[in-house]
Amino acid sequence: MRRAALVAALLLFPHAAGAEVFKTTLNELAPDWTVNLRCVHSEYNMTIPIPERWKVTRFTLTFPFINSTNLIKEKSSIVVKFNDIPLAHAQLDPANPEGRVTMTAPPALVKSDYNRLTLVGVQHYTENCEHPCAPDLWTTINFEEAELEIEYEYKPVPLQLSAMSPFLFDPKTLPSGAVHLITPGEDEQSLTLASIVASGVARKFDYRRADFTISRERRPGVDNILVADKAVVEEFFRRNGVEPPAITGPFIKVMPLPLDPSDSASPEADGDPQEPRKFMMSPAAPGEAEARPPDDSAPLTPRFDAAHALIVVSGQTTEHVKIAATTLASMTFPYPGSAETTIKEFRLPEITIHSGKNMLISDKVIRLSVIGLETHSFHGLQAPPRNLMFRLPPDFYIKENQYARLTLNFAYGAGMRPDSVLNILLNGIHVRSINVDNPAGASIEGYKIEIPTYLFQPGLNTLSLAPILTPQARECDLIQPESLFLTVFDNSTIYFPTMTHFVELPNLGLFMLNGFPFTRWPDGYESLIYITRNDPALLTAALNIIGMISQRNGYPLLGIKVSLERPVSWNGELLVIGDLDSIPEEIRKAAPLPILEETKVKYAITDNLGGEVVFAETRQIGGLKPDAGLVMEMESPLQKGRAAVLLTGLTPGDVLKLSESLLKPGAQQAVEGDLAIIEYDTPFDRIATQASAPKFFVGKYGTVTYFDYFFHYFPKAYYFVLLGGALVSTIMMYLFFRRHGMKRLRISGDTAKTGRNWVAWLFLKQRGKKDDDAK
């Protein structure tokens, strides 16, 4: 009986069986390409994410290393720990300095979580007294050649809506998330609803890249989301031999992904598992043959892929579908625990402009516990720093002589030398050091540090606390590292002053930072995405960009509009996605590189230090190469004072590759200015940028005059104006008193001569001289 049940389960859920293998190198999972273990004792920590939907059956890590030839073999070694359990060990041999370590972790030790990998180096170069951080103490590990191999099986999808975020849209998914959207058509309503769902899904993936596809067809081998009204959903279920759900209002349901009933085996049996399986949704598109229903005499047997999900977002009307899509995009709490839900009411809160994920609110005292610092104790000579990350709006107008205030409450132990310090770093730059030199130790409250606001940067900022604790000990004295401590308490605070929102555009760096200016309102309000052609590659490219903006800003784009119709007028921001031949002429003419029959091209000739870039202008008959794309920003040709961003390439396929390139961290850091050309015909994308378009300014809150802007960018002019004002005021006062001083003061000449009023005496003397000259 048990064997028969197993066979039946494999027939119903054919994709649930079989192992998958994931291979990568550690530099893809860590921010470093090489790791240097220095000093007598050194550690390097990183995490390896394992998705919730993986059941790991084998976990192997192999990496090469090279060590110093001055080490003592018997006293030097490298240890590999996985979740704090030592699993591999190798001696550091100076006679054979190049080695290789292989670590195999038992599956029971591998958690569906962020697993800690620790590389520990213990190194000595002498039997006697030695300097703890001598230059001879080093071992280097090349992460580019460190190979990680994970064999796993898929767990069945839990039939609970509460499992969407931790299971389906898991940030730990490797190497990236893949989601396919099914829509009944490519009209504005269907695309806008799909973009809302895609935005919410990308936000749930958090920092993990999300790859979207969209069509009227189901795609096996990935999670699918069906966004359609009740009639289309019922037809989809009937064609797959599945009983349709009862839809009475805004509706969300999760279930295993139905397979094509005509297949006799799993999706992999008939070729490429990524090849979409076609089904026609009513009404049929023009030029397409209507799908024939199966023969009623042969009843369909429903079959499912238990490893992947179908999520239904539906309703009786289009408005119901929008409510369901917005609800799905907003779900951040693990509720409901059922497989389906009907939404009876939905209300969005009031949102404020320039808000978003981890955004620091100005003019408010914020505890460091809010931005990630729980009470933390640093131990040892040079403990790893503690990093606090927060974001600032990309359009902050930073004025001179403004300061952020950091107030620290901390305590440190006794026996410190006078050169012991707590270093404060902002974005990797040392901005302040606090001396912790009391030999008896101390507890300090309210230690205030003022940091100039110009040291902060738009978007992500990292504030680091990095102590260096030195004991009062002589060379070769026994040191107790645990007695060297410094504790920073979580009731420490940070305050950022009120800042005006005013910025110069175009600036693609801000667009890559968090989608600005499309995220001035975090939900994308007053923003339009215009897709120039009904092409699957262009539709997918648009979803990729929507996902990127949502992840960078941390808020679903519930207010954005997506359309295939050419906009005649639009009083907001405009994002245009299309191949070159389909871009409207007025948009191409307004672009920094207007690729027309004769293209006006600018080349930077001089870039004076502290001066403006000088461009040579040419007119050419040429074009863009294949496997390359253009990203351009300019003032919108449809509305003054609004921005337009253009993504284009020779073909829709090039535009899709461009969108995928923009999802990479390298491009998100390198794209800037108003024009970027990205070539992706090499293993590493080549990016060239330029800033040559006319500037314009946008701002929302506060009043920013031309003088504020002028003096901000030309601070020396302020002192010249101040000096000139003082000089003019002095001359005017002199002339005033010279002409009217005596009349107002009514002081006689005799009184003035006594010297009791030297100003009046001066004017009398000058007037007397004039009278003598006249006589």
Side-chain angles (χ1 to χ4, degrees):
M1 290 293 293
R2 291 181 60 185
R3 185 173 181 179
L6 178 61
V7 171
L10 290 175
L11 289 174
L12 285 176
F13 305 106
H15 202 318
E20 307 278 349
V21 177
F22 171 75
K23 295 181 180 181
T24 188
T25 54
L26 286 188
N27 66 291
E28 297 290 337
L29 303 177
D32 303 296
W33 289 73
T34 59
V35 171
N36 294 309
L37 302 177
R38 298 186 180 275
C39 300
V40 173
H41 180 273
S42 181
E43 288 189 4
Y44 180 86
N45 292 285
M46 63 171 290
T47 58
I48 298 178
I50 299 296
E52 293 286 342
R53 67 196 309 170
W54 285 10
K55 179 183 178 182
V56 175
T57 56
R58 184 168 57 87
F59 186 101
T60 304
L61 172 65
T62 303
F63 63 86
F65 67 87
I66 182 170
N67 56 262
S68 170
T69 56
N70 293 334
L71 300 180
I72 300 176
K73 177 180 179 181
E74 291 75 15
K75 301 184 68 176
S76 303
S77 62
I78 185 171
V79 180
V80 183
K81 297 181 180 180
F82 190 77
N83 289 330
D84 299 325
I85 304 297
L87 294 181
H89 172 274
Q91 281 190 317
L92 302 178
D93 187 356
N96 297 293
E98 296 186 20
R100 200 169 188 86
V101 175
T102 298
M103 181 209 74
T104 300
L109 190 60
V110 183
K111 302 178 294 184
S112 295
D113 201 345
Y114 292 95
N115 296 266
R116 180 194 291 269
L117 176 68
T118 306
L119 306 176
V120 183
V122 178
Q123 304 166 118
H124 296 278
Y125 68 95
T126 180
E127 297 285 353
N128 303 315
C129 175
E130 63 184 350
H131 191 285
C133 282
D136 301 279
L137 303 175
W138 61 267
T139 298
T140 299
I141 302 169
N142 186 359
F143 272 12
E144 192 177 3
E145 297 180 7
E147 300 174 351
L148 175 66
E149 184 172 323
I150 306 173
E151 185 180 282
Y152 64 93
E153 298 175 354
Y154 280 110
K155 300 176 184 177
V157 173
L159 302 184
Q160 301 166 356
L161 290 174
S162 58
M164 282 193 301
S165 290
F167 192 91
L168 299 180
F169 312 130
D170 186 358
K172 302 186 295 295
T173 300
L174 295 173
S176 62
V179 177
H180 180 68
L181 297 173
I182 309 170
T183 61
E186 293 78 28
D187 56 283
E188 180 176 328
Q189 284 185 343
S190 298
L191 293 178
T192 299
L193 293 173
S195 70
I196 292 174
V197 172
S199 176
V201 168
R203 177 170 171 258
K204 297 178 193 302
F205 274 116
D206 197 11
Y207 63 90
R208 184 67 61 192
R209 170 176 167 172
D211 296 324
F212 291 100
T213 53
I214 183 172
S215 69
R216 302 185 186 190
E217 306 158 0
R218 178 193 51 223
R219 182 180 176 184
V222 297
D223 297 319
N224 284 239
I225 303 179
L226 173 58
V227 186
D229 60 24
K230 177 180 178 179
V232 176
V233 170
E234 289 179 345
E235 179 184 354
F236 171 80
F237 274 74
R238 282 196 299 269
R239 291 185 181 280
N240 287 276
V242 182
E243 183 69 23
I247 301 175
T248 59
F251 179 80
I252 304 174
K253 179 182 177 67
V254 61
M255 59 180 290
L257 178 66
L259 298 175
D260 192 333
S262 61
D263 288 344
S264 58
S266 67
E268 288 80 356
D270 294 332
D272 185 2
Q274 301 299 318
E275 186 67 25
R277 305 288 181 179
K278 292 188 177 182
F279 71 93
M280 186 59 59
M281 307 179 71
S282 65
E288 286 186 301
E290 185 176 357
R292 298 292 181 183
D295 187 1
D296 294 337
S297 60
L300 298 177
T301 301
R303 301 171 62 253
F304 300 92
D305 176 0
H308 296 96
L310 172 68
I311 298 176
V312 180
V313 180
S314 185
Q316 291 184 320
T317 64
T318 302
E319 186 61 30
H320 284 177
V321 180
K322 184 175 183 180
I323 293 174
T326 307
T327 303
L328 176 69
S330 305
M331 283 182 170
T332 57
F333 188 74
Y335 185 87
S338 56
E340 62 182 55
T341 184
T342 299
I343 300 98
K344 294 297 185 180
E345 183 181 1
F346 183 83
R347 287 181 296 178
L348 281 171
E350 292 290 334
I351 60 174
T352 58
I353 198 170
H354 301 106
S355 58
K357 179 176 63 175
N358 298 330
M359 195 72 72
L360 191 68
I361 301 174
S362 60
D363 197 27
K364 183 179 180 180
V365 177
I366 298 175
R367 291 171 61 119
L368 294 189
S369 59
V370 175
I371 58 177
L373 177 71
E374 300 298 332
T375 297
H376 181 73
S377 294
F378 301 92
H379 291 275
L381 295 171
Q382 191 169 354
R386 189 64 186 267
N387 298 321
L388 310 177
M389 291 183 288
F390 57 90
R391 298 197 307 141
L392 294 176
D395 60 342
F396 257 175
Y397 173 70
I398 298 176
K399 298 181 180 180
E400 303 299 324
N401 301 321
Q402 283 191 308
Y403 297 87
R405 185 174 65 249
L406 177 66
T407 304
L408 293 178
N409 302 319
F410 62 96
Y412 60 92
M416 303 289 186
R417 242 171 44 180
D419 57 350
S420 299
V421 295
L422 171 61
N423 290 317
I424 311 296
L425 295 86
L426 180 62
N427 300 320
I429 300 174
H430 287 76
V431 296
R432 190 70 181 271
S433 286
I434 303 174
N435 208 232
V436 288
D437 58 349
N438 190 337
S443 179
I444 299 175
E445 293 186 359
Y447 191 101
K448 292 182 173 57
I449 301 170
E450 290 193 336
I451 305 174
T453 54
Y454 65 79
L455 295 177
F456 293 84
Q457 63 188 15
L460 184 65
N461 288 265
T462 302
L463 184 68
S464 302
L465 306 177
I468 298 178
L469 308 178
T470 309
Q472 291 183 342
R474 293 174 298 181
E475 190 173 1
C476 298
D477 283 353
L478 179 64
I479 298 175
Q480 298 291 343
E482 287 301 314
S483 67
L484 301 174
F485 77 89
L486 185 148
T487 301
V488 180
F489 300 104
D490 60 1
N491 60 349
S492 302
T493 62
I494 187 172
Y495 169 82
F496 207 87
T498 302
M499 305 291 283
T500 300
H501 295 274
F502 184 76
V503 69
E504 181 184 77
L505 294 179
N507 188 342
L508 285 172
L510 299 182
F511 174 72
M512 300 306 300
L513 186 67
N514 75 333
F516 186 86
F518 300 93
T519 54
R520 181 188 290 111
W521 289 99
D523 63 348
Y525 175 66
E526 296 181 338
S527 297
L528 171 67
I529 297 179
Y530 166 43
I531 305 171
T532 60
R533 195 196 299 270
N534 185 0
D535 186 279
L538 297 181
L539 299 179
T540 301
L543 293 179
N544 287 339
I545 298 302
I546 288 172
M548 181 197 74
I549 294 175
S550 302
Q551 287 186 330
R552 302 290 286 180
N553 195 52
Y555 199 96
L557 299 178
L558 306 178
I560 203 166
K561 292 186 177 180
V562 183
S563 178
L564 288 168
E565 295 184 7
R566 178 176 175 178
V568 179
S569 63
W570 179 253
N571 185 24
E573 268 65 46
L574 180 64
L575 176 58
V576 182
I577 300 175
D579 58 292
L580 274 174
D581 291 339
S582 63
I583 303 296
E585 187 174 353
E586 67 270 16
I587 295 178
R588 283 202 278 179
K589 285 182 177 179
L593 183 62
I595 300 182
L596 303 167
E597 212 172 298
E598 289 186 4
T599 302
K600 182 180 178 181
V601 186
K602 295 181 179 181
Y603 297 103
I605 299 299
T606 60
D607 188 0
N608 300 320
L609 296 177
E612 294 185 358
V613 181
V614 179
F615 293 94
E617 296 186 5
T618 66
R619 287 190 178 273
Q620 304 178 18
I621 300 176
L624 191 64
K625 60 173 284 190
D627 289 325
L630 282 172
V631 186
M632 296 182 279
E633 184 175 3
M634 61 278 189
E635 189 172 21
S636 173
L638 305 181
Q639 179 65 42
K640 291 291 184 183
R642 294 289 192 161
V645 174
L646 172 62
L647 276 68
T648 188
L650 277 182
T651 65
D654 286 333
V655 180
L656 176 58
K657 291 179 182 178
L658 174 63
S659 71
E660 294 171 346
S661 178
L662 293 178
L663 298 179
K664 301 176 182 178
Q668 293 173 0
Q669 295 177 2
V671 172
E672 58 185 6
D674 52 55
L675 167 63
I677 297 181
I678 303 179
E679 300 176 354
Y680 24 81
D681 55 355
T682 59
F684 298 97
D685 297 345
R686 291 193 296 267
I687 301 175
T689 62
Q690 185 170 281
S692 59
K695 306 297 183 183
F696 64 101
F697 306 93
V698 296
K700 271 289 183 184
Y701 282 164
T703 56
V704 179
T705 66
Y706 174 79
F707 297 103
D708 288 329
Y709 167 76
F710 182 82
F711 290 136
H712 171 69
Y713 283 97
F714 305 99
K716 291 184 179 179
Y718 171 78
Y719 300 104
F720 284 106
V721 172
L722 188 64
L723 182 61
L727 183 61
V728 170
S729 300
T730 303
I731 294 173
M732 292 180 63
M733 289 177 62
Y734 170 77
L735 295 176
F736 175 81
F737 283 113
R738 179 178 177 181
R739 184 169 183 177
H740 301 287
M742 289 308 301
K743 290 182 180 180
R744 291 186 176 276
L745 294 173
R746 297 180 179 178
I747 300 177
S748 65
D750 294 337
T751 304
K753 287 180 180 179
T754 62
R756 284 176 292 180
N757 192 319
W758 66 272
V759 177
W761 176 81
L762 176 63
F763 282 101
L764 279 174
K765 185 176 180 181
Q766 292 291 333
R767 179 168 292 182
K769 185 177 179 181
K770 281 189 175 182
D771 292 341
D772 291 342
D773 292 342
K775 289 178 182 181

